[in-house]
Amino acid sequence: MTAAQIITVSRFLTNTTTATASDANCLTLLSERNKQLVINLSKLKEDYLVERSTADLVESQEEYLLPTDCLRLKRLEIQWVAGGKRYPVTFYDINESNRTNDTTTIGNEFVKEKPFADVFDKSLFLRPIPQAAMDEGLTLWYVQIPASLAGT
């Protein structure tokens, strides 16, 4: 069933017309509902619509942007050195720590063997902060944002 067919059926069922609900508004609502359905599917742990991505670690860089099409982050792993062990990253909220957020405190509180990350404003903040560059040191598994629905 296409988006146009869904709109036609919904107009019939609700006794509405384009005067009460424009095609553009209906498509916006359908697209938002589609995102909600994708989120619900991703919670089934069946890896529907999951994408894998990598990013390079940069020395002394704390913040890493999430992929632009990331709807929901499922898993993150970090590898500090080439050929080294990959560590699963635990997600936490920065408000869980009652200490200051300066680089010295971060370096003292977090260890490479048990890495953490905070997700804030479409970015990851790594703990501890990488002390060396590493090609493809981050591996992310995430649910992609579904494409917006078209009118046909």
Side-chain angles (χ1 to χ4, degrees):
M1 184 174 258
T2 67
Q5 292 169 324
I6 293 170
I7 292 170
T8 300
V9 169
S10 66
R11 284 201 174 114
F12 173 77
L13 293 173
T14 59
N15 197 27
T16 58
T17 66
T18 55
T20 53
S22 70
D23 285 350
N25 286 345
C26 289
L27 282 174
T28 300
L29 292 171
L30 282 173
S31 290
E32 287 306 310
R33 182 62 182 145
N34 190 35
K35 286 180 190 174
Q36 292 170 0
L37 290 171
V38 167
I39 289 171
N40 289 339
L41 271 175
S42 73
K43 292 177 182 177
L44 295 176
K45 297 187 179 185
E46 296 292 332
D47 293 335
Y48 295 114
L49 308 169
V50 172
E51 183 68 29
R52 181 183 174 275
S53 177
T54 60
D56 297 340
L57 291 178
V58 178
E59 181 179 346
S60 300
Q61 180 174 313
E62 175 183 16
E63 180 179 5
Y64 295 83
L65 293 175
L66 290 170
T68 56
D69 63 343
C70 179
L71 177 65
R72 180 174 175 261
L73 194 56
K74 288 195 64 132
R75 182 176 173 90
L76 176 65
E77 291 181 355
I78 193 164
Q79 183 178 20
W80 300 106
V81 295
K85 182 178 177 182
R86 299 194 75 77
Y87 296 96
V89 176
T90 302
F91 295 102
Y92 85 111
D93 187 309
I94 196 167
N95 293 317
E96 293 174 7
S97 174
N98 57 2
R99 299 197 179 142
T100 59
N101 196 33
D102 59 83
T103 54
T104 303
T105 305
I106 292 169
N108 292 334
E109 278 193 25
F110 298 94
V111 295
K112 290 181 177 181
E113 294 76 20
K114 192 169 165 97
F116 285 81
D118 185 23
V119 179
F120 180 75
D121 194 29
K122 300 178 184 176
S123 293
L124 292 167
F125 290 83
L126 296 180
R127 306 286 189 263
I129 298 169
Q131 297 305 306
M134 172 64 194
D135 291 342
E136 297 185 355
L138 283 177
T139 305
L140 302 91
W141 288 266
Y142 64 95
V143 178
Q144 289 180 295
I145 297 172
S148 293
L149 299 175
T152 56

